[in-house]
Amino acid sequence: MKLLETRYAPLMTAGWMIGVPLVLAFFAGAGAGTVFDPLAAFAGTVFSIFGGASLILGAALLLWTLWSAWRAGELTASKELNG
């Protein structure tokens, strides 16, 4: 797929910027009140410091990457199929 070949780095960066805060938020909620409460509290603190900004900037990077790929014609398969 042309999109992954040409825009791998921004797509993976956006994926990690969105995925890591969501995992931290999950661990903060799932571990609260259990034996993992100190780790859950730490995950909640890290999420509260970095999570919101990372989610917003990751979403913006993902939208910008997809928009620029669409403008360049990389999201359609017709060029690949027709040569």
Side-chain angles (χ1 to χ4, degrees):
M1 179 176 232
K2 182 106 172 138
L3 178 66
L4 288 177
E5 293 172 0
T6 58
R7 303 184 191 277
Y8 182 79
L11 286 173
M12 290 300 113
T13 303
W16 281 100
M17 289 177 75
I18 294 170
V20 171
L22 292 179
V23 169
L24 286 172
F26 173 77
F27 285 145
T34 65
V35 70
F36 300 110
D37 195 40
L39 292 174
F42 180 71
T45 302
V46 172
F47 176 77
S48 67
I49 294 171
F50 300 111
S54 181
L55 285 172
I56 292 169
L57 291 175
L61 177 62
L62 181 63
L63 290 174
W64 177 79
T65 303
L66 293 176
W67 173 260
S68 62
W70 179 71
R71 297 269 323 242
E74 296 173 4
L75 293 179
T76 57
S78 62
K79 287 184 180 178
E80 294 176 15
L81 295 175
N82 295 331

Coordinates of all heavy atoms in Angstrom, one line a residue:
M1 N 0.8 -1.2 0.0 CA 0.0 0.0 0.0 C 0.9 1.2 0.0 O 1.8 1.4 0.8 CB -0.9 0.0 1.2 CG -1.8 1.1 1.4 SD -2.9 1.0 2.8 CE -4.4 1.3 2.0
K2 N 0.6 2.1 -0.9 CA 1.4 3.3 -1.1 C 1.5 4.2 0.1 O 2.5 4.8 0.5 CB 0.9 4.1 -2.3 CG 1.7 5.3 -2.6 CD 2.5 5.1 -3.8 CE 3.1 6.4 -4.2 NZ 4.5 6.3 -4.6
L3 N 0.3 4.3 0.8 CA 0.3 5.2 2.0 C 1.3 4.7 3.1 O 2.0 5.6 3.6 CB -1.2 5.1 2.6 CG -1.4 5.9 3.9 CD1 -1.2 7.4 3.6 CD2 -2.8 5.7 4.4
L4 N 1.4 3.5 3.4 CA 2.3 3.0 4.4 C 3.8 3.1 3.9 O 4.7 3.2 4.7 CB 2.0 1.6 4.8 CG 0.7 1.4 5.6 CD1 0.5 -0.1 5.9 CD2 0.8 2.2 6.9
E5 N 4.0 3.0 2.6 CA 5.3 3.1 2.1 C 5.8 4.6 2.2 O 7.0 4.8 2.5 CB 5.4 2.7 0.7 CG 5.1 1.2 0.5 CD 5.0 0.8 -1.0 OE1 5.1 1.7 -1.8 OE2 4.8 -0.4 -1.2
T6 N 5.0 5.5 2.0 CA 5.4 6.9 1.9 C 5.2 7.7 3.2 O 6.0 8.6 3.5 CB 4.7 7.7 0.8 OG1 3.3 7.6 1.1 CG2 4.9 7.1 -0.6
R7 N 4.3 7.2 4.0 CA 4.0 8.0 5.3 C 4.1 7.1 6.5 O 3.2 7.2 7.4 CB 2.7 8.7 5.1 CG 2.6 9.6 3.9 CD 1.3 10.3 3.8 NE 1.2 11.0 2.5 CZ 1.7 12.2 2.2 NH1 2.5 12.8 3.1 NH2 1.6 12.7 1.1
Y8 N 5.0 6.2 6.6 CA 5.1 5.3 7.7 C 5.4 6.0 9.0 O 4.8 5.7 10.0 CB 6.2 4.2 7.4 CG 6.3 3.2 8.4 CD1 5.4 2.1 8.5 CD2 7.3 3.2 9.4 CE1 5.5 1.1 9.5 CE2 7.4 2.2 10.3 CZ 6.5 1.2 10.4 OH 6.6 0.2 11.4
A9 N 6.4 6.9 9.0 CA 6.8 7.5 10.3 C 5.7 8.3 10.9 O 5.5 8.2 12.1 CB 8.1 8.3 10.0
P10 N 5.0 9.2 10.2 CA 4.0 10.0 10.8 C 2.8 9.2 11.3 O 2.2 9.4 12.3 CB 3.6 11.1 9.8 CG 4.2 10.7 8.5 CD 5.3 9.7 8.8
L11 N 2.5 8.1 10.5 CA 1.4 7.2 10.9 C 1.7 6.5 12.2 O 0.9 6.3 13.1 CB 1.0 6.3 9.8 CG 0.3 6.9 8.6 CD1 0.1 5.9 7.5 CD2 -1.1 7.4 9.0
M12 N 2.9 5.9 12.3 CA 3.3 5.2 13.5 C 3.4 6.1 14.7 O 3.1 5.8 15.8 CB 4.6 4.5 13.3 CG 4.5 3.3 12.3 SD 3.3 2.1 12.9 CE 2.0 2.2 11.7
T13 N 4.0 7.3 14.5 CA 4.1 8.3 15.5 C 2.7 8.7 16.1 O 2.5 8.7 17.3 CB 4.8 9.6 15.1 OG1 6.1 9.2 14.6 CG2 5.0 10.6 16.2
A14 N 1.8 8.9 15.2 CA 0.4 9.2 15.6 C -0.2 8.1 16.3 O -1.0 8.2 17.3 CB -0.5 9.6 14.4
G15 N 0.0 6.9 15.9 CA -0.5 5.7 16.5 C 0.0 5.5 17.9 O -0.8 5.2 18.9
W16 N 1.3 5.7 18.1 CA 1.8 5.6 19.5 C 1.4 6.8 20.3 O 1.1 6.6 21.5 CB 3.3 5.6 19.4 CG 3.9 4.3 19.1 CD1 4.3 3.9 17.8 CD2 4.0 3.1 19.9 NE1 4.7 2.5 17.9 CE2 4.5 2.1 19.2 CE3 3.7 2.9 21.3 CZ2 4.8 0.8 19.7 CZ3 4.0 1.7 21.8 CH2 4.5 0.7 21.0
M17 N 1.2 8.0 19.7 CA 0.8 9.1 20.5 C -0.7 9.0 21.0 O -1.1 9.5 22.0 CB 0.9 10.4 19.7 CG 2.3 10.9 19.5 SD 2.4 12.3 18.5 CE 1.9 13.6 19.6
I18 N -1.5 8.2 20.3 CA -2.8 8.0 20.7 C -2.9 6.7 21.5 O -3.7 6.7 22.5 CB -3.7 7.8 19.4 CG1 -3.8 9.2 18.7 CG2 -5.1 7.4 19.8 CD1 -4.4 9.1 17.3
G19 N -2.2 5.7 21.2 CA -2.3 4.4 21.9 C -1.7 4.4 23.3 O -2.4 3.8 24.2
V20 N -0.6 5.0 23.5 CA 0.1 4.9 24.8 C -0.8 5.6 25.9 O -1.0 5.1 27.0 CB 1.5 5.5 24.8 CG1 2.1 5.6 26.2 CG2 2.4 4.5 24.0
P21 N -1.3 6.8 25.7 CA -2.2 7.4 26.7 C -3.4 6.6 27.0 O -3.9 6.6 28.1 CB -2.5 8.8 26.1 CG -1.5 9.1 25.2 CD -1.0 7.8 24.6
L22 N -4.0 6.0 25.9 CA -5.2 5.2 26.2 C -4.8 3.9 27.0 O -5.6 3.5 27.9 CB -5.8 4.7 24.9 CG -6.4 5.9 24.0 CD1 -7.0 5.3 22.7 CD2 -7.5 6.6 24.8
V23 N -3.7 3.3 26.8 CA -3.3 2.2 27.7 C -3.0 2.7 29.1 O -3.4 2.0 30.1 CB -2.0 1.6 27.1 CG1 -1.4 0.6 28.0 CG2 -2.3 0.9 25.8
L24 N -2.4 3.9 29.3 CA -2.2 4.4 30.6 C -3.5 4.7 31.3 O -3.6 4.4 32.5 CB -1.4 5.7 30.5 CG 0.1 5.5 30.2 CD1 0.8 6.9 30.0 CD2 0.8 4.8 31.3
A25 N -4.5 5.2 30.6 CA -5.8 5.5 31.2 C -6.5 4.2 31.6 O -7.1 4.1 32.6 CB -6.6 6.3 30.2
F26 N -6.3 3.2 30.8 CA -6.9 1.9 31.1 C -6.3 1.3 32.3 O -7.0 0.8 33.2 CB -6.7 0.9 29.9 CG -7.2 -0.5 30.3 CD1 -8.5 -0.8 30.3 CD2 -6.3 -1.5 30.5 CE1 -8.9 -2.1 30.6 CE2 -6.7 -2.8 30.9 CZ -8.0 -3.1 30.9
F27 N -4.9 1.3 32.4 CA -4.3 0.8 33.6 C -4.6 1.6 34.9 O -4.7 1.0 35.9 CB -2.7 0.7 33.4 CG -2.3 -0.4 32.5 CD1 -1.2 -0.3 31.6 CD2 -3.0 -1.6 32.5 CE1 -0.8 -1.3 30.8 CE2 -2.6 -2.7 31.7 CZ -1.5 -2.5 30.8
A28 N -4.7 2.9 34.7 CA -5.1 3.7 35.9 C -6.4 3.4 36.4 O -6.6 3.4 37.6 CB -5.0 5.2 35.5
G29 N -7.4 3.1 35.5 CA -8.7 2.7 36.0 C -8.8 1.3 36.4 O -9.5 1.0 37.4
A30 N -8.2 0.4 35.7 CA -8.4 -1.0 36.0 C -7.6 -1.4 37.3 O -7.9 -2.4 38.0 CB -7.9 -1.9 34.8
G31 N -6.5 -0.8 37.5 CA -5.6 -1.1 38.7 C -6.0 -0.4 40.0 O -5.4 -0.8 41.0
A32 N -6.9 0.5 39.9 CA -7.2 1.3 41.1 C -8.0 0.4 42.1 O -8.9 -0.4 41.7 CB -8.1 2.5 40.8
G33 N -7.5 0.4 43.4 CA -8.2 -0.4 44.4 C -7.7 -1.8 44.4 O -8.3 -2.7 45.2
T34 N -6.7 -2.2 43.7 CA -6.2 -3.6 43.7 C -4.8 -3.5 44.2 O -4.3 -2.5 44.8 CB -6.1 -4.2 42.2 OG1 -5.2 -3.4 41.5 CG2 -7.5 -4.1 41.6
V35 N -4.1 -4.7 44.1 CA -2.7 -4.7 44.6 C -1.8 -3.8 43.8 O -0.7 -3.4 44.2 CB -2.2 -6.2 44.6 CG1 -2.0 -6.7 43.2 CG2 -0.9 -6.3 45.4
F36 N -2.2 -3.5 42.6 CA -1.5 -2.6 41.7 C -1.8 -1.2 41.8 O -1.6 -0.4 40.9 CB -1.7 -3.1 40.2 CG -1.3 -4.5 39.9 CD1 -2.2 -5.4 39.7 CD2 0.1 -4.8 39.9 CE1 -1.8 -6.7 39.4 CE2 0.5 -6.1 39.7 CZ -0.5 -7.1 39.5
D37 N -2.4 -0.8 43.0 CA -2.8 0.6 43.2 C -1.7 1.6 43.0 O -1.9 2.7 42.4 CB -3.5 0.7 44.5 CG -4.3 2.0 44.7 OD1 -4.9 2.4 43.7 OD2 -4.2 2.6 45.7
P38 N -0.5 1.4 43.6 CA 0.6 2.3 43.3 C 1.0 2.5 41.8 O 1.2 3.7 41.4 CB 1.8 1.8 44.1 CG 1.2 0.9 45.1 CD 0.0 0.3 44.5
L39 N 1.0 1.4 41.1 CA 1.3 1.5 39.7 C 0.1 2.2 38.9 O 0.3 3.0 38.0 CB 1.5 0.2 39.1 CG 2.8 -0.5 39.5 CD1 2.9 -1.9 38.9 CD2 4.0 0.3 39.1
A40 N -1.1 2.0 39.4 CA -2.3 2.6 38.8 C -2.3 4.1 39.1 O -2.6 4.9 38.2 CB -3.5 2.0 39.3
A41 N -1.9 4.5 40.3 CA -1.8 5.9 40.6 C -0.7 6.6 39.8 O -0.9 7.7 39.3 CB -1.5 6.1 42.1
F42 N 0.4 5.9 39.6 CA 1.5 6.4 38.7 C 1.0 6.6 37.3 O 1.3 7.6 36.6 CB 2.8 5.6 38.8 CG 3.9 6.1 38.0 CD1 4.6 7.2 38.3 CD2 4.3 5.4 36.8 CE1 5.6 7.7 37.5 CE2 5.3 5.9 36.0 CZ 6.0 7.0 36.4
A43 N 0.3 5.6 36.8 CA -0.2 5.6 35.4 C -1.2 6.8 35.3 O -1.2 7.5 34.2 CB -0.8 4.3 35.0
G44 N -2.0 7.0 36.3 CA -2.9 8.1 36.2 C -2.3 9.4 36.3 O -2.7 10.4 35.6
T45 N -1.2 9.5 37.0 CA -0.4 10.8 37.1 C 0.3 11.1 35.7 O 0.2 12.2 35.2 CB 0.6 10.7 38.2 OG1 0.0 10.5 39.4 CG2 1.4 12.0 38.3
V46 N 0.9 10.0 35.2 CA 1.5 10.2 33.9 C 0.5 10.6 32.8 O 0.7 11.4 31.9 CB 2.3 8.9 33.5 CG1 2.8 9.0 32.0 CG2 3.5 8.7 34.4
F47 N -0.7 9.9 32.9 CA -1.7 10.3 31.9 C -2.2 11.7 32.1 O -2.5 12.4 31.1 CB -2.9 9.3 32.0 CG -4.1 9.7 31.1 CD1 -4.0 9.4 29.8 CD2 -5.2 10.3 31.6 CE1 -5.0 9.7 28.9 CE2 -6.2 10.7 30.8 CZ -6.2 10.4 29.4
S48 N -2.4 12.1 33.3 CA -2.9 13.5 33.5 C -1.9 14.5 33.1 O -2.3 15.6 32.7 CB -3.2 13.7 35.0 OG -2.1 13.6 35.8
I49 N -0.6 14.2 33.1 CA 0.4 15.2 32.7 C 0.5 15.2 31.2 O 0.5 16.3 30.5 CB 1.8 14.9 33.3 CG1 1.7 15.1 34.8 CG2 2.9 15.7 32.7 CD1 2.9 14.6 35.6
F50 N 0.7 14.0 30.6 CA 1.0 13.9 29.1 C -0.1 13.5 28.3 O -0.1 13.6 27.0 CB 2.2 13.0 28.9 CG 3.4 13.4 29.6 CD1 3.9 12.6 30.7 CD2 4.1 14.5 29.2 CE1 5.1 13.0 31.3 CE2 5.3 14.9 29.9 CZ 5.8 14.1 30.9
G51 N -1.1 12.8 28.8 CA -2.2 12.2 28.0 C -3.0 13.0 27.1 O -3.2 12.7 26.0
G52 N -3.5 14.1 27.7 CA -4.4 15.0 26.9 C -3.7 15.6 25.7 O -4.2 15.6 24.6
A53 N -2.6 16.1 26.0 CA -1.8 16.8 24.9 C -1.4 15.8 23.8 O -1.4 16.1 22.6 CB -0.6 17.5 25.5
S54 N -1.0 14.6 24.3 CA -0.6 13.6 23.3 C -1.7 13.1 22.5 O -1.6 12.9 21.3 CB 0.1 12.4 24.1 OG 0.5 11.4 23.2
L55 N -2.9 12.9 23.1 CA -4.1 12.5 22.3 C -4.4 13.6 21.3 O -4.7 13.3 20.1 CB -5.2 12.3 23.2 CG -5.2 11.0 24.0 CD1 -6.3 11.0 25.0 CD2 -5.3 9.8 23.1
I56 N -4.4 14.8 21.7 CA -4.8 15.9 20.8 C -3.8 16.1 19.6 O -4.2 16.1 18.5 CB -5.0 17.3 21.5 CG1 -6.2 17.2 22.4 CG2 -5.1 18.4 20.6 CD1 -6.3 18.3 23.4
L57 N -2.5 16.1 20.0 CA -1.5 16.2 18.9 C -1.4 15.0 18.1 O -1.1 15.1 16.8 CB -0.1 16.5 19.6 CG 0.0 17.9 20.2 CD1 1.3 18.0 20.9 CD2 -0.2 19.0 19.2
G58 N -1.6 13.8 18.6 CA -1.6 12.6 17.8 C -2.8 12.6 16.9 O -2.6 12.2 15.7
A59 N -4.0 13.0 17.3 CA -5.1 13.1 16.4 C -4.9 14.1 15.3 O -5.2 13.9 14.1 CB -6.4 13.4 17.2
A60 N -4.3 15.2 15.7 CA -4.0 16.3 14.7 C -3.0 15.7 13.6 O -3.1 16.0 12.4 CB -3.5 17.5 15.3
L61 N -1.9 15.0 14.1 CA -0.9 14.5 13.2 C -1.6 13.4 12.3 O -1.3 13.4 11.1 CB 0.2 13.9 14.0 CG 1.3 13.2 13.2 CD1 2.0 14.2 12.3 CD2 2.3 12.5 14.1
L62 N -2.4 12.6 12.8 CA -3.1 11.6 12.0 C -4.0 12.2 11.0 O -3.9 11.8 9.8 CB -3.9 10.6 12.9 CG -4.6 9.5 12.2 CD1 -3.7 8.6 11.5 CD2 -5.5 8.8 13.2
L63 N -4.8 13.2 11.4 CA -5.6 13.9 10.4 C -4.8 14.6 9.3 O -5.2 14.6 8.1 CB -6.6 14.9 11.1 CG -7.6 14.2 12.0 CD1 -8.4 15.3 12.7 CD2 -8.6 13.4 11.1
W64 N -3.7 15.3 9.7 CA -2.9 16.0 8.7 C -2.3 15.0 7.8 O -2.2 15.2 6.6 CB -1.8 16.8 9.5 CG -0.9 17.4 8.5 CD1 -1.1 18.6 7.8 CD2 0.4 17.0 8.1 NE1 0.0 18.9 7.0 CE2 0.9 17.9 7.2 CE3 1.2 15.9 8.5 CZ2 2.2 17.7 6.6 CZ3 2.4 15.7 7.9 CH2 2.9 16.7 7.0
T65 N -1.8 13.8 8.3 CA -1.2 12.8 7.4 C -2.2 12.3 6.4 O -1.9 12.1 5.2 CB -0.5 11.7 8.3 OG1 0.4 12.3 9.2 CG2 0.2 10.7 7.4
L66 N -3.3 11.9 6.9 CA -4.4 11.4 6.0 C -4.8 12.4 5.0 O -5.1 12.1 3.8 CB -5.5 10.8 6.8 CG -5.2 9.6 7.6 CD1 -6.4 9.2 8.5 CD2 -4.8 8.5 6.8
W67 N -4.9 13.7 5.4 CA -5.3 14.8 4.5 C -4.3 15.0 3.4 O -4.6 15.1 2.3 CB -5.6 16.0 5.3 CG -5.8 17.2 4.5 CD1 -4.9 18.2 4.1 CD2 -7.1 17.6 3.8 NE1 -5.5 19.1 3.3 CE2 -6.8 18.8 3.1 CE3 -8.3 17.0 3.8 CZ2 -7.8 19.4 2.4 CZ3 -9.3 17.7 3.1 CH2 -9.1 18.8 2.4
S68 N -3.0 15.0 3.8 CA -2.0 15.2 2.8 C -1.9 14.0 1.9 O -1.6 14.2 0.7 CB -0.7 15.6 3.5 OG -0.2 14.5 4.3
A69 N -2.1 12.8 2.4 CA -2.1 11.6 1.5 C -3.3 11.6 0.6 O -3.1 11.3 -0.6 CB -2.1 10.4 2.4
W70 N -4.4 12.1 1.0 CA -5.6 12.2 0.2 C -5.4 13.2 -0.9 O -5.7 13.0 -2.1 CB -6.8 12.5 1.0 CG -8.0 12.7 0.2 CD1 -8.7 11.7 -0.4 CD2 -8.7 13.9 -0.1 NE1 -9.8 12.2 -1.1 CE2 -9.8 13.6 -0.9 CE3 -8.5 15.2 0.2 CZ2 -10.7 14.6 -1.4 CZ3 -9.4 16.2 -0.3 CH2 -10.5 15.9 -1.1
R71 N -4.7 14.4 -0.5 CA -4.5 15.4 -1.5 C -3.4 14.9 -2.6 O -3.5 15.4 -3.7 CB -3.9 16.7 -0.8 CG -4.9 17.3 0.1 CD -5.7 18.4 -0.5 NE -5.1 19.2 -1.5 CZ -4.8 20.5 -1.5 NH1 -5.2 21.1 -0.4 NH2 -4.3 21.1 -2.5
A72 N -2.5 14.1 -2.2 CA -1.5 13.6 -3.1 C -2.0 12.4 -3.9 O -1.3 11.9 -4.8 CB -0.3 13.2 -2.3
G73 N -3.2 11.9 -3.6 CA -3.8 10.8 -4.3 C -3.3 9.4 -3.9 O -3.3 8.5 -4.7
E74 N -2.8 9.3 -2.7 CA -2.3 8.0 -2.2 C -3.3 7.1 -1.6 O -3.0 6.0 -1.2 CB -1.1 8.3 -1.2 CG 0.0 9.0 -1.9 CD 1.1 9.4 -0.8 OE1 0.9 9.1 0.3 OE2 2.0 10.1 -1.2
L75 N -4.5 7.6 -1.4 CA -5.5 6.8 -0.7 C -6.4 6.0 -1.6 O -7.1 5.2 -1.2 CB -6.4 7.7 0.2 CG -5.7 8.3 1.4 CD1 -6.7 9.2 2.2 CD2 -5.2 7.3 2.3
T76 N -6.2 6.2 -2.9 CA -7.0 5.5 -3.9 C -6.1 4.4 -4.5 O -4.9 4.6 -4.7 CB -7.5 6.4 -5.0 OG1 -6.3 7.0 -5.6 CG2 -8.4 7.5 -4.5
A77 N -6.7 3.3 -4.8 CA -6.0 2.1 -5.3 C -6.0 2.1 -6.8 O -5.4 1.2 -7.4 CB -6.6 0.8 -4.8
S78 N -6.6 3.1 -7.5 CA -6.7 3.0 -8.9 C -5.3 3.2 -9.6 O -5.1 2.6 -10.6 CB -7.7 4.1 -9.4 OG -7.2 5.4 -9.1
K79 N -4.5 4.0 -9.0 CA -3.1 4.1 -9.7 C -2.3 2.8 -9.6 O -1.6 2.5 -10.5 CB -2.4 5.3 -9.0 CG -2.9 6.6 -9.3 CD -2.0 7.7 -8.7 CE -2.5 9.1 -9.0 NZ -1.8 10.1 -8.3
E80 N -2.5 2.1 -8.4 CA -1.7 0.9 -8.3 C -2.3 -0.2 -9.2 O -1.5 -1.0 -9.7 CB -1.8 0.5 -6.8 CG -1.1 1.4 -5.9 CD -1.2 1.0 -4.4 OE1 -1.6 -0.2 -4.2 OE2 -1.0 1.8 -3.6
L81 N -3.6 -0.2 -9.4 CA -4.2 -1.3 -10.2 C -4.0 -1.0 -11.7 O -3.8 -2.0 -12.4 CB -5.7 -1.4 -9.9 CG -6.1 -1.8 -8.5 CD1 -7.6 -1.8 -8.3 CD2 -5.5 -3.2 -8.2
N82 N -4.0 0.2 -12.1 CA -3.9 0.5 -13.5 C -2.4 0.8 -14.0 O -2.2 1.1 -15.1 CB -4.8 1.7 -13.9 CG -6.2 1.5 -13.7 OD1 -6.6 0.3 -13.8 ND2 -7.0 2.5 -13.3
G83 N -1.5 0.8 -13.0 CA -0.2 0.9 -13.4 C 0.3 2.3 -13.3 O 1.2 2.8 -13.6

